[in-house]
């Protein structure tokens, strides 16, 4: 890639921002060393690995990149036969081994989901024994532990004892010196590894010994007296023995690592690679970047929600994203408009996003971004005049343009700022016109900016050239940085001059001096801008109305859901209350039966028929009182329709089905299995008798007298769950009145729903003494047998 262009686009600065997300200096250096590549296989693989690590990072949020020491030099020395690593180097290798093992374990447990990361993690080593051996011998400070060997521990104890004896002996010696030789606040100190005492210079001859140092003034000498020399020699022997033992331990640890040296080195490089990917993945997540697709043919460029990487890093809240799509036939985008409108930033953003992508960094772009794979990038941006090289601004531009013309082809990106500037506008415009047409016909993807009005006409004459502008607020005279493709921009020079207070007659004269074509074009652009502002405002209003409509619709849906929930709750409560009514009614029935039987056994004057009718009347009165207290759920739309005496109806609150036997005002008397209940007409739904009712047990005038038709079984197969109670309870009533010992309920196996409903009803019915699944020959689990009281 063209080095000059990459520097102009500030690629090194952008890579430094990405490198700041690495966990180690080695990973950061690897990021800063990245360079754009035109190898599509490399670019796609790098971007895919970064994207995979970003997804892994979001999934395993408790995982962090481990510490990565700079162990490169130690590993190179490890490969040299006979070399011995020092304690800090061995400590760093232990840290490296720990990071290798933990990273390998974290990634490989999700290897199926992250195959690209798994391929790197497979290079990581897991040498727990070697790591444990090093850590047991060397502490975190890079020092050999006393416990590394028994001899080392013994030697260090002796050394500490010898030092203590020397200090004690020298302190006694200082105390015994004549006062004229002593130094105030004197104490034993070390010089060149030897213990010395401070002494006035005049006492040197009397004390003797070896002088190791003197004070800045020369008045004080630091002397090793004769009394300490023998003790110091013994200490020196111990220290030499200690150093010999330490060297032996380090050599032993080094030799143990050496067979795995190549694998450890490969793991080290793999960790550096992972840290580089880690930095790029964290940057992509922080910048909200999305993996772009790569186009090998360079035919199409689509940027969605793109932002300048360096501006995003320094001023994230003020960066205005832009969208841009270049169709395959569109090869040149000519951006015009006033100064400070963001044209140069736009060029740099396009170039920097492309360079970062081809260097393996996911740039700050949105989903749907598609980038060509450029073989080279050229940029002529900024003022590059050089006094030393005798280059004017125009000469510097020409030098860059010559390089672009020499090398540009269909696989090249050319970024040219301020086309035709730096010289006579007529000549500069003519030269820029020729260059843009040449690059467009070659197929070079070119992005250029200009202030020259004559260049804006190229789009109408040359296929492949498209005008564009960065919107400028003509009222506030400030840029909005919104990219408008297909519309050239105005320079606003006269408008800005008028805003700054230049005389009106001067501005009128300047406007009159403008060529007619330029003036007409300016007026046309003004009209287009006004229409665009009106359209934008209308679209904003429409979007606002759409948002309000969506919010209203959501509110209505929530209200409807809440209403349905309240209806379900009301129906549930009504069902429960109706069930309580039926249970209480059954108790009344049982009491009535007991009275009838007692009356029959006692042969009282009251007939059995009269007692039965009295019991029936009490039950109906109880049911009427309870139903009047029962809140009814909201009636369905067809509630009460078609309700007449003799009609078959469904009670919406309970789901029970029965026959209307009496109508009175707005209430109806419904007979359900022999039990009569008063229900509001709005709580009834007209229906037809289900086919299953024909198979079910029929009870004939159960409460009109002692003659009852009862069966030993009831068939519920095909019945809905909510209709079970309306068929099973009358069957139990009839069986109890007929004094049957048991009732066989056929519900089938199916999904088990009917069996659960039957079990629930029988569990709460006091007339059922017990119940069990059917036995062999009785229907198995498709039947429930109830023993009746």
């Amino acid at each position: 890639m063209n080095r000059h262009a990459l520097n102009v686009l500030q690629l090194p600065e952008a890579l430094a921002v990405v490198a700041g997300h690495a966990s180690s200096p080695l990973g950061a250096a690897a990021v800063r060393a990245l360079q754009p590549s035109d190898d599509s296989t490399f670019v796609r693989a790098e971007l895919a690995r970064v994207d995979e690590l970003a997804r892994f990072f979001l999934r395993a949020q408790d995982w962090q990149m481990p510490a990565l020491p700079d162990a490169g030099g130690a590993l190179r020395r490890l490969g040299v036969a006979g070399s011995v690593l020092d304690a800090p180097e061995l400590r760093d290798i232990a840290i490296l081994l720990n990071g290798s093992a933990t990273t390998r374990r974290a990634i490989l447990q999700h290897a199926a989901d992250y195959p690209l990361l798994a391929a790197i993690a497979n290079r990581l080593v897991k040498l727990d024994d070697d790591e444990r051996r090093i850590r047991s011998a060397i502490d975190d400070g890079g020092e050999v532990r006393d416990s590394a060997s028994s001899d080392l521990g013994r030697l260090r104890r002796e050394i500490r004892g010898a030092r203590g004896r020397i200090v004690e002996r020298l302190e006694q010696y200082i105390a015994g010196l004549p006062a004229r030789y002593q130094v105030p606040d004197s104490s034993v100190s070390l010089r060149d590894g030897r213990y010395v005492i401070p002494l006035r210079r005049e006492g040197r001859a009397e004390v003797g010994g070896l002088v190791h140092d003197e004070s800045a003034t020369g008045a004080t000498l630091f002397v090793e007296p004769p009394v300490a020399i023998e003790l110091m020699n013994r200490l020196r022997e111990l220290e030499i023995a200690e150093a010999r033992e330490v060297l032996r331990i380090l050599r032993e640890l080094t030799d143990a690592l050496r067979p795995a040296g190549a694998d450890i080195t490969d793991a080290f490089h793999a960790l550096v690679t992972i840290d580089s990917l880690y930095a790029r993945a964290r940057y992509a997540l922080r910048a909200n970047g999305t993996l772009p697709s790569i186009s090998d043919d360079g035919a199409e460029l689509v940027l969605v929600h793109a932002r300048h990487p360096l501006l995003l890093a320094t001023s994230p809240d003020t960066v205005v994203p832009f969208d841009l799509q270049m169709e395959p036939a569109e090869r040149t985008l000519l951006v015009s408009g006033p100064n400070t409108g963001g044209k140069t930033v736009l060029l740099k953003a396009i170039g920097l996003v492309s360079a970062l992508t081809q260097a393996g960094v996911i740039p700050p772009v949105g989903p749907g971004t598609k980038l060509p794979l450029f073989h080279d990038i050229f940029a002529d941006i900024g003022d590059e005049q050089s006094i030393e090289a005798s280059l004017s601004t125009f000469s510097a531009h020409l030098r860059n343009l010559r390089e672009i013309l020499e090398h540009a082809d269909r696989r090249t990106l050319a970024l040219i700022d301020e086309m035709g500037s730096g010289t006579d506008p007529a000549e500069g415009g003519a030269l820029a016109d020729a260059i843009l047409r040449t690059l467009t016909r070659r197929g070079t993807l070119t992005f250029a900016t200009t202030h020259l009005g004559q260049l804006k006409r190229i789009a109408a004459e040359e296929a492949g050239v498209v005008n564009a502008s960065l919107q400028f607020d003509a009222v506030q005279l400030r840029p909005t940085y919104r990219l408008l493709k297909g519309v050239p921009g105005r320079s606003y020079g006269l408008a800005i001059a008028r805003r700054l207070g230049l005389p009106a007659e001067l501005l009128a004269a300047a406007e009159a001096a403008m060529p007619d074509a330029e003036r007409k074009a300016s007026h046309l652009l003004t009209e287009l801008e006004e229409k665009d502002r009106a359209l934008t405002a209308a679209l904003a209003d429409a979007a606002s109305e759409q948002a309000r409509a969506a919010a209203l619709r959501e509110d209505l849906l929530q209200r409807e859901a809440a209403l349905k929930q309240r209806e379900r709750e009301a129906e549930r409560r009504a069902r429960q209350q109706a069930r309580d009514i039926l249970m209480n009614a059954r108790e009344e029935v049982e009491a009535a039966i007991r009275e009838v039987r007692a009356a029959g056994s006692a042969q009282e004057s009251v007939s059995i028929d009269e007692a039965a009718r009295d019991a029936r009347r009490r039950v109906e009165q109880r049911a009427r009182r309870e139903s009047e207290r029962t809140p009814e759920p909201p009636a369905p739309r067809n509630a009460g329709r078609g309700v007449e005496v003799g009609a078959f109806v469904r009670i919406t609150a309970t789901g029970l089905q029965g026959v209307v036997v009496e109508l009175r005002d707005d209430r109806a008397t419904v007979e359900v299995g022999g039990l009569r209940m008063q229900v509001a007409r709005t709580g009834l739904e007209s229906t037809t008798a289900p086919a299953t009712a024909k198979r079910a047990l029929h009870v004939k005038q159960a409460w009109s007298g002692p003659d009852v038709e009862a069966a030993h079984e009831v068939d519920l197969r095909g019945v809905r769950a909510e209709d079970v109670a309306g068929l099973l309870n009358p069957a139990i009533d009839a069986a109890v009145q007929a004094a049957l010992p048991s009732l066989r309920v056929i519900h089938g196996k199916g999904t088990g729903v009917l069996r659960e409903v039957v079990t629930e009803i029988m569990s709460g019915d006091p007339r059922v003494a017990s119940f069990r699944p059917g036995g062999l020959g009785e229907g198995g689990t498709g039947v429930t047998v109830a023993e009746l009281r």
Side-chain angles (χ1 to χ4, degrees), residues 595-636:
E595 290 180 8
V596 170
R597 289 175 177 170
S601 62
Q603 296 181 353
E604 295 179 355
S605 59
V606 181
S607 69
I608 294 176
D609 288 344
E610 291 177 354
R613 282 195 295 272
D614 182 64
R616 179 186 178 188
R617 184 171 57 257
R618 292 204 308 272
V619 170
E620 291 177 351
Q621 290 173 351
R622 175 67 177 272
R624 188 180 301 113
R625 289 195 303 272
E626 295 293 341
S627 64
E628 288 174 353
R629 292 199 299 267
T630 301
E632 297 178 357

Side-chain angles (χ1 to χ4, degrees), residues 200-258:
R200 292 186 183 277
R201 180 174 289 277
E202 51 269 26
R204 163 75 178 82
E206 184 173 338
V207 172
L210 301 175
V211 177
H212 289 274
D213 200 357
E214 64 179 20
S215 66
T217 62
T220 301
L221 302 177
F222 295 93
V223 179
E224 179 183 352
V227 296
I229 292 178
E230 187 61 32
L231 293 174
M232 286 296 301
N233 289 340
R234 173 56 183 162
L235 175 61
R236 185 58 183 157
E237 291 175 1
L238 291 173
E239 288 175 342
I240 292 172
E242 177 203 16
R244 189 183 304 114
E245 180 62 15
V246 166
L247 180 61
R248 185 194 66 79
I249 293 170
L250 296 178
R251 177 177 285 108
E252 185 178 278
L253 293 173
T254 303
D255 290 342
L257 284 175
R258 188 168 281 114

Side-chain angles (χ1 to χ4, degrees), residues 65-140:
M65 185 69 197
L68 181 57
D70 188 357
L75 291 172
R76 285 190 293 272
R77 293 211 302 124
L78 184 63
V80 178
S83 62
V84 178
L85 302 183
D86 59 28
E89 290 175 328
L90 288 168
R91 174 207 56 197
D92 289 347
I93 290 181
I95 295 173
L96 172 63
L97 293 177
N98 177 264
S100 173
T102 56
T103 304
R104 175 187 175 89
R105 183 165 52 252
I107 293 177
L108 291 185
Q109 64 180 336
H110 304 295
D113 297 327
Y114 307 101
L116 300 178
L117 292 181
I120 305 175
N122 281 323
R123 295 166 51 194
L124 301 176
V125 295
K126 186 175 180 295
L127 302 175
D128 294 340
D129 292 341
D130 291 314
E131 180 193 349
R132 192 179 304 110
R133 189 182 301 111
I134 294 173
R135 291 190 181 278
S136 66
I138 298 172
D139 60 22
D140 294 339

Side-chain angles (χ1 to χ4, degrees), residues 163-186:
R163 287 174 176 167
R165 288 191 295 273
I166 293 172
V167 171
E168 181 181 1
R169 180 71 185 89
L170 290 179
E171 287 176 347
Q172 293 173 354
Y173 185 79
I174 292 173
L177 286 174
R180 64 181 181 277
Y181 299 150
Q182 293 186 15
V183 176
D185 300 324
S186 61

Side-chain angles (χ1 to χ4, degrees), residues 671 673-674 697-710 730 734 737:
E671 183 172 309
L697 175 67
H698 295 278
V699 180
K700 182 178 180 181
Q701 295 296 329
W703 308 108
S704 62
D707 296 330
V708 176
E709 292 183 6
Q737 292 180 68

Side-chain angles (χ1 to χ4, degrees), residues 179 185 194 209 235 237 239 312 344 371 420 422 459 557 611 659 668 741:
D185 300 324
R194 310 284 288 188
L235 175 61
E237 291 175 1
E239 288 175 342
L312 183 64
T344 303
L371 296 172
L557 289 175
V659 179

Side-chain angles (χ1 to χ4, degrees), residues 494 497-498 502-514 519:
L494 295 178
R498 184 175 293 107
L502 269 69
E505 60 275 12
L506 184 148
L507 295 174
E511 188 170 14
M514 290 178 60
R519 188 164 52 251

Side-chain angles (χ1 to χ4, degrees), residues 593 597 706 708-711 732-741:
I593 292 172
R597 289 175 177 170
V708 176
E709 292 183 6
I732 296 175
D733 290 338
V736 169
Q737 292 180 68
L740 298 180

